[in-house]
Amino acid sequence: MKLFSRQLIIKEFKDLVRDPRIWIPFILSAVLMPAMGLVVYAPMISAVEKATVEKLYVAVINMDEGDIAGKLIDFQNNISVKSKIVIYQTNISNVYLNDTKKLKEITEYILSKYPSVENIVIFPRDFSKKINNRQKVRIFTITVVREITFIGSTVKTQRIFDAINNFIREYVLNGTGIKPDVIVKPLIEEEANYIVGKKTVLLGSSMTVLTSLSLASFLIPIILMIISVTIMQMTATSMAVENEEKTLETLLTLPLTRTQILLSKLMGSFTVAAIGSFMSIIGFGLYMFIIMQPVFSPRVQIGNQVSFSFQTMISPLDMIYVVASLIATTFFTAAIGIVIGALSSDTRIASTMVGPLSMLVFVPGMMVAFVKLSTFGSFLPLLYILPLTQPIVFIKQAISSSLPPETLLYILASIIVTIIIIVITAKIFSLETLSNLQHRLSRFRRK
Amino acid sequence: MKAVEINNLTKNFGATIALRGITFSVDVGDIYGLIGPNGAGKTTTFRIIAGLIPPTSGSIKVFGLNPLIDTEKIKNIISYLPEDAGTYRNITGYEFLKLVSEIYFSNKEEAEEALEIGIRIANIGNRIYDKMKTYSKGMKRRIQVARVLMVRPKLAILDEPTSGLDVIHAREVRRVINDVSREFGTTILLSSHNMLEVQDICQKVALIHQGRILVEGLITDLLEEYSASNLEELFVSLVRGVAR
Ligand SMILES: Nc1ncnc2c1ncn2[C@@H]1O[C@H](COP(=O)(O)OP(=O)(O)O)[C@@H](O)[C@H]1O
Ligand SMILES: [Mg+2]
């Protein structure tokens, strides 16, 4: 007995391939995916480039009992035009590296004197002694974190380590004729980070600390995408069904305005979507909680073991704001679903359009997650209001500092944006445009 | 005042000319039939009358109102049954009639009264409490007709209310329309591509073909004037005449 019928397979293939709507999502995602890549790549690259070539302001605490640190500083000052590292020497002579409270005080003191400082470098007492004994030498830096990003501060901290490593290599090998790069790494790099907005010191490499912190702002667009795909699918389908079953024409003849019809549709289906999403968020949350245990509570140890946890970084109020903003954003995607459904003559077209569009929904959020907010310049207020960027901006700000008092207004604005979209759709969407669209589609299909 | 008065109505969809100058009028309390084959322009005409789409040219008056200007007011005068109107799968017939009556009447008693009338018109017994996806085609149509007529509109527009129904169910729907029109004095404008079935319900008809009205008037007068035995014969002879 044959397992399948060749005729049916051919029929299936022809039937699908000849429907132009089948190709829309494939073609769109083929174009959208690389576009999305570019959207994330371009600002990332420029941020890295910027961090590599930008002037870097460093405060130095020199406790070295020998003279090598002094020489290093002089050398750096001489080549500062080329290296673009600007050094401020402080008169601080005693730091307990294990005491985060002291580190915080010192950082704040330095920042009050030199507000532009991005890194504080501390040369220990035995700096020269260790080098002269050809031993590995400790160096301690405090990265001043003004905004949580994947890159930026980390690249700059690395520039300092590179400069010091290079100097020591050349110093040690001077006159031996041996090339400096035979020595791999003379430094033991120890780091702390001062989060300006939070006024807290977190021990650990800026890479680890910043990555785990920015993970949250990276996760939010992903959570958003998962939820919005489902919600958009749901609202778009329920609206498209009204078209397909010709119940929409009935609604349009009832003593209701088009705005009333669309907004009621939105409210009703969003309520269902919200209940459904709540369940999936709980599931997703548990999943993240389980797999992220090691990341969210990293025990970054240097001297005194200090650990920070994700929860302590965001205040409960800010968390509520972020969640409220997320809900406002899903409300927005539900509205987009309604708009897609209203313009689709049947559910198949609707689901065809939802796929690529939900990818687009993801793009602005991703961009904001990866890029320093300050690069958006005068567009920044817009990011606080637009539903697709707002929760990501919020979480970034909540982690690096705290949300401003007007946050509630921003959330309100986001909801208003959604309502405006529905009202505009109601204005342009009528039986005339609808039936024209459907007629055109049916003719397109016949070709 | 006439219930409906339309004059030289035209409608183009891009290059397609759907209506090429339609003129007819409907008296208050009449059951008026717009009869013609598929694609003749019946649905387009009804949509324009109900203010759902604008005409390209021509004038429309519904109880003295212009649907283009008084779009919202018109919705309280006209109750409309779209062609092939579907039903919500997981809503019961009762829930559907209830929600529509509440949309039309904010007054609770009025809404309840309309709902009662609706249940009576639908006349599907206890099945009205079942989800509509379990209904037969005939039951769905009865719910739709009940939905349109229960709010006692001044004008009910029914676009092919019997299409797709078998003889028995079609008859039933026609009888309901006739009874309600008598009981409440509702003016009814209906369309059909079945020339024969309208004869036992409409007083007046307009025969429409390719966006034009061929003839219009009392059925008895028309049959006599063209010495035809029924509307179908009349239509065929008129179309041949146009072709020649
Ligand atoms: N939105 C539209 N776009 C283009 N052509 C249309 C549109 N709506 C209707 N038509 C055309 O107008 C003509 C009349 O259609 P219609 O009023 O639906 O006829 P009927 O209801 O009598 O079957 C048909 O040829 C139809 O194809
Ligand atoms: Mg029609």
Side-chain angles (χ1 to χ4, degrees):
Chain A
M1 213 185 81
K2 275 198 284 182
L3 267 176
F4 48 80
S5 144
R6 193 172 56 91
Q7 288 76 11
L8 270 189
I9 295 176
I10 293 173
K11 175 236 104 198
E12 188 63 34
F13 182 81
K14 280 186 181 165
D15 191 31
L16 285 175
V17 155
R18 286 178 186 168
D19 186 348
R21 288 174 298 169
I22 291 285
W23 297 104
I24 298 173
F26 294 126
I27 294 169
L28 276 181
S29 42
V31 176
L32 274 181
M33 292 285 221
M36 242 168 77
L38 281 179
V39 161
V40 176
Y41 171 83
M44 277 241 291
I45 272 294
S46 80
V48 172
E49 273 170 0
K50 244 173 129 184
T52 330
V53 299
E54 246 176 12
K55 261 193 185 163
L56 172 54
Y57 296 91
V58 182
V60 168
I61 299 174
N62 186 2
M63 304 191 291
D64 185 13
E65 281 159 356
D67 61 350
I68 300 182
K71 283 182 183 161
L72 198 162
I73 294 165
D74 287 344
F75 173 76
Q76 279 301 328
N77 275 334
N78 284 337
I79 62 158
S80 75
V81 178
K82 201 177 122 232
S83 69
K84 297 217 170 130
I85 296 179
V86 180
I87 296 175
Y88 302 109
Q89 290 211 59
T90 65
N91 47 14
I92 299 165
S93 55
N94 204 357
V95 185
Y96 295 101
L97 293 181
N98 294 338
D99 189 344
T100 44
K101 222 166 139 192
K102 284 273 153 54
L103 288 178
K104 177 175 153 166
E105 275 168 21
I106 286 169
T107 309
E108 279 163 8
Y109 166 75
I110 290 176
L111 284 179
S112 69
K113 267 182 96 176
Y114 313 105
S116 54
V117 160
E118 292 160 279
N119 268 282
I120 299 167
V121 177
I122 303 170
F123 291 99
R125 291 183 201 290
D126 56 0
F127 188 75
S128 296
K129 198 172 126 201
K130 284 270 171 66
I131 292 177
N132 288 331
N133 292 341
R134 300 296 186 261
Q135 283 173 313
K136 274 210 166 212
V137 60
R138 299 163 140 251
I139 191 88
F140 197 94
T141 69
I142 302 169
T143 304
V144 178
V145 181
R146 295 193 167 79
E147 192 189 327
I148 311 279
T149 46
F150 272 118
I151 33 197
S153 317
T154 307
V155 173
K156 288 192 172 170
T157 310
Q158 204 50 50
R159 270 169 71 188
I160 296 171
F161 288 138
D162 286 350
I164 300 173
N165 270 319
N166 285 339
F167 180 86
I168 299 174
R169 283 193 197 113
E170 295 203 8
Y171 181 87
V172 169
L173 298 176
N174 193 15
T176 61
I178 304 171
K179 283 203 176 132
D181 48 10
V182 292
I183 299 179
V184 179
K185 200 174 166 191
L187 282 183
I188 299 170
E189 294 156 2
E190 294 184 351
E191 295 183 55
N193 303 271
Y194 178 76
I195 315 291
V196 175
K198 294 270 184 208
K199 296 193 193 312
T200 38
V201 169
L202 298 174
L203 293 181
S205 92
S206 62
M207 187 76 143
T208 316
V209 169
L210 287 180
T211 309
S212 24
L213 286 181
S214 44
L215 205 63
S217 55
F218 176 72
L219 273 179
I220 292 249
I222 293 179
I223 298 176
L224 252 186
M225 195 173 73
I226 296 171
I227 297 171
S228 29
V229 172
T230 356
I231 292 188
M232 267 163 92
Q233 195 78 49
M234 214 197 86
T235 55
T237 307
S238 93
M239 194 68 205
V241 164
E242 300 256 12
N243 271 328
E244 195 172 315
E245 299 277 328
K246 306 256 170 61
T247 45
L248 184 61
E249 193 168 344
T250 302
L251 293 185
L252 289 169
T253 64
L254 298 180
L256 299 168
T257 63
R258 293 197 295 253
T259 309
Q260 282 175 323
I261 294 171
L262 288 186
L263 274 181
S264 317
K265 186 91 203 165
L266 174 61
M267 303 293 220
S269 51
F270 178 71
T271 310
V272 177
I275 296 169
S277 314
F278 183 70
M279 293 197 255
S280 47
I281 286 179
I282 289 181
F284 183 77
L286 286 175
Y287 165 78
M288 287 318 288
F289 180 75
I290 294 164
I291 68 160
M292 282 298 155
Q293 274 301 320
V295 184
F296 280 159
S297 49
R299 254 155 271 277
V300 196
Q301 296 184 8
I302 289 162
N304 261 356
Q305 50 283 43
V306 173
S307 69
F308 72 92
S309 67
F310 181 62
Q311 296 91 300
T312 56
M313 290 301 292
I314 302 180
S315 74
L317 181 66
D318 282 1
M319 207 60 219
I320 290 170
Y321 282 147
V322 169
V323 170
S325 166
L326 273 171
I327 293 173
T329 302
T330 49
F331 187 59
F332 172 82
T333 53
I336 298 290
I338 294 283
V339 174
I340 296 172
L343 299 176
S344 310
S345 55
D346 61 63
T347 48
R348 198 155 147 196
I349 297 185
S351 25
T352 299
M353 300 310 295
V354 165
L357 254 152
S358 48
M359 259 188 268
L360 269 184
V361 164
F362 188 56
V363 170
M366 267 322 225
M367 215 163 103
V368 172
F370 276 106
V371 180
K372 243 183 166 165
L373 291 182
S374 48
T375 47
F376 291 102
S378 50
F379 287 107
L380 194 56
L382 212 61
L383 301 187
Y384 273 92
I385 289 169
L386 287 180
L388 293 182
T389 50
Q390 188 190 66
I392 296 109
V393 175
F394 276 12
I395 189 95
K396 278 184 96 163
Q397 194 172 350
I399 290 173
S400 58
S401 57
S402 61
L403 289 169
E406 65 270 22
T407 303
L408 216 50
L409 287 181
Y410 290 138
I411 295 174
L412 213 65
S414 155
I415 294 170
I416 289 171
V417 166
T418 304
I419 291 175
I420 288 174
I421 284 176
I422 289 290
V423 171
I424 290 174
T425 311
K427 287 272 172 300
I428 53 171
F429 147 93
S430 65
L431 197 65
E432 172 97 12
T433 48
L434 209 73
S435 96
N436 285 347
L437 209 77
Q438 288 167 11
H439 241 85
R440 231 166 276 155
L441 266 167
S442 63
R443 222 171 298 155
F444 177 55
R445 225 174 303 161
R446 248 176 272 140
K447 269 178 199 163
Chain B
M1 188 173 33
K2 297 266 186 190
V4 180
E5 228 179 327
I6 60 177
N7 221 314
N8 211 8
L9 205 63
T10 69
K11 176 70 185 179
N12 305 345
F13 293 104
T16 318
I17 305 171
L19 303 180
R20 301 164 191 266
I22 300 274
T23 304
F24 69 86
S25 61
V26 179
D27 288 319
V28 176
D30 266 6
I31 301 182
Y32 191 101
L34 190 59
I35 322 298
N38 291 331
K42 304 180 294 294
T43 301
T44 306
T45 308
F46 284 178
R47 284 177 170 172
I48 293 173
I49 294 173
L52 290 171
I53 59 175
T56 304
S57 71
S59 75
I60 318 119
K61 282 239 163 71
V62 179
F63 288 94
L65 294 176
N66 183 342
L68 277 178
I69 299 162
D70 309 300
T71 316
E72 296 311 313
K73 257 191 213 156
I74 281 280
K75 286 181 170 178
N76 283 310
I77 292 177
I78 300 179
S79 187
Y80 188 105
L81 175 60
E83 187 177 6
D84 304 325
T87 48
Y88 297 104
R89 292 176 55 79
N90 296 313
I91 304 283
T92 68
Y94 177 81
E95 287 168 334
F96 181 59
L97 294 183
K98 188 163 189 285
L99 78 89
V100 172
S101 66
E102 283 169 359
I103 287 173
Y104 275 89
F105 304 105
S106 45
N107 179 312
K108 211 178 157 208
E109 269 128 54
E110 280 180 295
E112 272 171 10
E113 197 188 335
L115 177 59
E116 255 168 54
I117 298 170
I119 294 171
R120 182 158 59 85
I121 297 174
N123 191 26
I124 57 168
N126 270 338
R127 291 299 307 279
I128 200 148
Y129 301 110
D130 292 343
K131 285 177 186 162
M132 288 193 280
K133 67 179 170 192
T134 65
Y135 290 5
S136 70
K137 221 172 182 177
M139 290 164 78
K140 283 182 188 165
R141 199 62 59 86
R142 291 198 66 126
I143 289 284
Q144 292 288 7
V145 171
R147 190 272 294 169
V148 171
L149 297 176
M150 71 177 183
V151 297
R152 281 178 291 159
K154 281 178 141 175
L155 171 67
I157 297 180
L158 308 166
D159 197 354
E160 312 231 12
T162 57
S163 82
L165 297 186
D166 60 45
V167 196
I168 311 266
H169 284 106
R171 250 179 102 102
E172 188 79 345
V173 166
R174 285 203 300 275
R175 194 185 53 73
V176 166
I177 294 169
N178 199 16
D179 290 354
V180 172
S181 171
R182 288 259 175 82
E183 187 179 344
F184 301 116
T186 312
T187 309
I188 291 181
L189 180 53
L190 60 82
S191 73
S192 178
H193 62 266
N194 185 334
M195 319 258 160
L196 297 176
E197 71 159 15
V198 292
Q199 264 179 274
D200 56 283
I201 162 170
C202 300
Q203 290 88 38
K204 277 187 169 180
V205 291
L207 296 190
I208 181 170
H209 180 56
Q210 295 179 346
R212 281 198 187 86
I213 302 281
L214 299 176
V215 285
E216 189 240 2
L218 285 167
I219 297 180
T220 46
D221 290 356
L222 291 175
L223 292 181
E224 201 175 314
E225 189 181 330
Y226 291 88
S227 54
S229 58
N230 59 45
L231 282 175
E232 196 171 280
E233 214 181 284
L234 172 62
F235 182 82
V236 172
S237 73
L238 285 172
V239 170
R240 284 222 191 94
V242 167
R244 246 180 259 145

